[in-house]
């Protein structure tokens, strides 16, 4: 299959998701060696899970199917430019290539916060809409110290 065909599958999933009432207009496929290994459509409203974006659903399925938590030999096709959360998941999964259809500005035009969240990220913490304060940092470092000493940890 071609890149266009994989993108059309992501777009089909976005339309199916809208028509089924399961979530917003977003679809995604993860591809490895010319085959789809993960599919996802937005399931935020149907699962009451704000993290159930199409990309997250597709990445989780691909990881389960392949039995690994990194996907450096995969490509992701999303019907829309990934939001900051999904982009972070793409980085954590080590997916090297992403193709997308709609832009985050297109998403904003129909009521989604992607572009707004992107605008919040570069702001100093004190200027963001979400209030953030450090608390019990010294106590929290205990887990990091234990992790750093572990000899048999699985790094990621």
């Amino acid at each position: 299959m071609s890149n266009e065909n994989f993108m059309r599958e992501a777009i089909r999933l976005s339309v199916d998701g809208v028509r089924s009432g399961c979530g917003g207009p977003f679809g995604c496929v993860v591809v490895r060696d010319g085959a789809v290994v993960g599919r996802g459509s937005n399931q935020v409203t149907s699962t009451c899970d704000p993290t159930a974006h199409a990309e997250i659903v597709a990445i989780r399925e691909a990881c389960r199917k392949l039995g690994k938590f990194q996907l450096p030999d995969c490509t992701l096709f999303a019907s829309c430019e990934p939001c900051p959360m999904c982009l972070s998941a793409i980085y954590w999964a080590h997916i090297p290539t992403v193709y997308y259809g709609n832009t985050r500005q297109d998403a904003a035009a129909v009521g989604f916060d992607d572009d707004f969240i992107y605008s919040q990220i570069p702001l100093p913490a004190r200027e963001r809409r979400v209030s953030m304060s450090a608390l019990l940092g010294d106590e929290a470092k205990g887990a990091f110290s234990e992790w750093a000493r572990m000899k048999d940890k699985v790094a990621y």
Side-chain angles (χ1 to χ4, degrees):
M1 287 180 64
S2 68
N3 287 347
E4 290 79 10
N5 287 336
F6 291 126
M7 181 58 76
R8 285 187 183 101
E9 175 65 5
I11 293 167
R12 183 191 66 76
L13 288 167
S14 72
V15 172
D16 288 353
V18 169
R19 291 178 180 164
S20 70
C22 289
F26 304 96
C28 179
V29 295
V30 176
V31 175
R32 179 177 178 231
D33 295 331
V36 174
V37 293
R39 283 183 171 78
S41 60
N42 184 285
Q43 300 173 14
V44 169
T45 58
S46 61
T47 62
C48 297
D49 179 355
T51 69
H53 290 200
E55 296 92 334
I56 302 295
V57 173
I59 289 169
R60 287 176 179 163
E61 181 177 287
C63 288
R64 273 192 308 272
K65 189 177 286 186
L66 298 174
K68 56 187 191 169
F69 57 86
Q70 293 181 344
L71 306 170
D73 54 352
C74 293
T75 301
L76 186 139
F77 295 82
S79 65
C80 186
E81 181 179 359
C83 75
M85 176 185 68
C86 294
L87 181 60
S88 295
I90 289 163
Y91 273 96
W92 280 115
H94 294 256
I95 297 171
T97 305
V98 173
Y99 295 96
Y100 61 89
N102 294 309
T103 66
R104 62 188 189 215
Q105 293 82 13
D106 296 330
V110 294
F112 291 94
D113 288 340
D114 306 46
D115 198 40
F116 168 73
I117 297 169
Y118 268 106
S119 74
Q120 291 282 294
I121 292 170
L123 296 176
R126 68 186 179 284
E127 293 180 24
R128 294 181 187 150
R129 182 179 288 177
V130 173
S131 173
M132 297 177 70
S133 302
L135 183 64
L136 298 177
D138 289 339
E139 288 182 39
K141 283 183 181 67
F144 279 4
S145 296
E146 192 170 325
W147 173 261
R149 288 189 306 270
M150 282 182 66
K151 291 184 182 357
D152 60 345
K153 64 182 165 238
V154 177
Y156 62 98

